[in-house]
Amino acid sequence: MTTPHQHQPQRPDIAQTLIQRAKAASENRWAARSTAAAQQGPAGADAALLTDQANTQVLARIVAAHGWPGRSLVGEGAARAALTLALHADHDLRAQNGFLRAVHEAAQQREASAGQWARLYDRCLARDGKLQVYGTQHRRRPDGELELYPVQDRDQLDVRRAQVGLLPHAEQFRLLRERLAGGSGSLPVPVTDHDEDLALAGSNP
């Protein structure tokens, strides 16, 4: 049994793998959103998908061997990186649903935050065309503007977000727009309010 919040991760090798993969995926994703990539057609998006597929396989092996890579196993930064990989496993429903269960269990053991679980939960709901609960998933419209994926009971959204340690939606939406400024076009998958670039920048989980 591991002790939450220990300073040194038990598996720095796994931590390094997760951080490196999340960083590379982030760079590929931003490159795919660039004007140059848009002019190249679907090649950039295909490369990003191949990266996500490889990362999903790696994360699935880690989860099968160790459970969710939480704070004790890999440290805070790598745990956020693991969530980034899980958020972009939309192409593999079985794997992503398995990650969701693993994060939920880890959150109960304080090896992951409730907010991390909420983001992945919303991601799975949006993926399946269902109303999200915590309002963490967004998308770009064809005109380039960012919008919230449909959410249940919008009037109580910030109440639910507070329950899992998330910022009020208006504040998080402003931060997300600033972070994604300069992108163009529509994105094929949801954009979480703690997308990989925010996670790697070290914002709160």
Side-chain angles (χ1 to χ4, degrees):
M1 183 69 179
T2 58
T3 302
H5 312 306
Q6 65 186 45
H7 295 295
Q8 295 297 324
Q10 296 172 351
R11 292 296 302 269
D13 55 325
I14 296 177
Q16 184 178 23
T17 294
L18 291 169
I19 290 173
Q20 288 178 342
R21 284 185 169 273
K23 182 178 180 180
S26 172
E27 292 171 351
N28 287 345
R29 216 173 316 280
W30 279 105
R33 294 170 186 167
S34 70
T35 302
Q39 293 173 346
Q40 294 172 1
D46 289 344
L49 176 58
L50 289 174
T51 298
D52 289 341
Q53 290 172 336
N55 288 340
T56 296
Q57 292 174 0
V58 170
L59 182 59
R61 289 197 293 268
I62 292 171
V63 171
H66 304 281
W68 183 253
R71 293 160 171 159
S72 296
L73 187 72
V74 298
E76 293 281 359
R80 290 197 297 270
L83 183 70
T84 291
L85 303 186
L87 286 165
H88 291 284
D90 309 271
H91 58 276
D92 189 332
L93 274 62
R94 182 176 180 180
Q96 195 171 50
N97 289 339
F99 297 154
L100 179 63
R101 291 190 294 271
V103 173
H104 184 264
E105 182 178 344
Q108 292 179 320
Q109 298 173 355
R110 299 183 64 194
E111 288 290 342
S113 71
Q116 289 173 333
W117 169 80
R119 292 182 181 96
L120 188 53
Y121 182 55
D122 272 355
R123 185 77 167 205
C124 292
L125 290 172
R127 177 201 69 197
D128 294 340
K130 299 178 180 179
L131 297 178
Q132 58 176 326
V133 175
Y134 300 101
T136 64
Q137 304 300 301
H138 304 79
R139 62 190 171 194
R140 284 196 189 278
R141 301 196 308 250
D143 63 4
E145 287 298 315
L146 201 64
E147 67 178 3
L148 181 68
Y149 259 73
V151 62
Q152 62 176 258
D153 193 8
R154 180 69 180 266
D155 290 342
Q156 295 297 310
L157 176 58
D158 282 342
V159 173
R160 296 193 299 276
R161 289 178 65 91
Q163 290 172 345
V164 292
L166 298 176
L167 293 173
H169 180 261
E171 183 175 353
Q172 189 65 66
F173 187 67
R174 177 183 60 80
L175 293 172
L176 182 62
R177 289 187 66 184
E178 291 175 358
R179 184 64 178 159
L180 298 179
S184 62
S186 58
L187 299 178
V189 296
V191 180
T192 181
D193 71 6
H194 191 75
D195 205 1
E196 71 278 2
D197 308 293
L198 297 178
L200 292 173
S203 58
N204 293 331

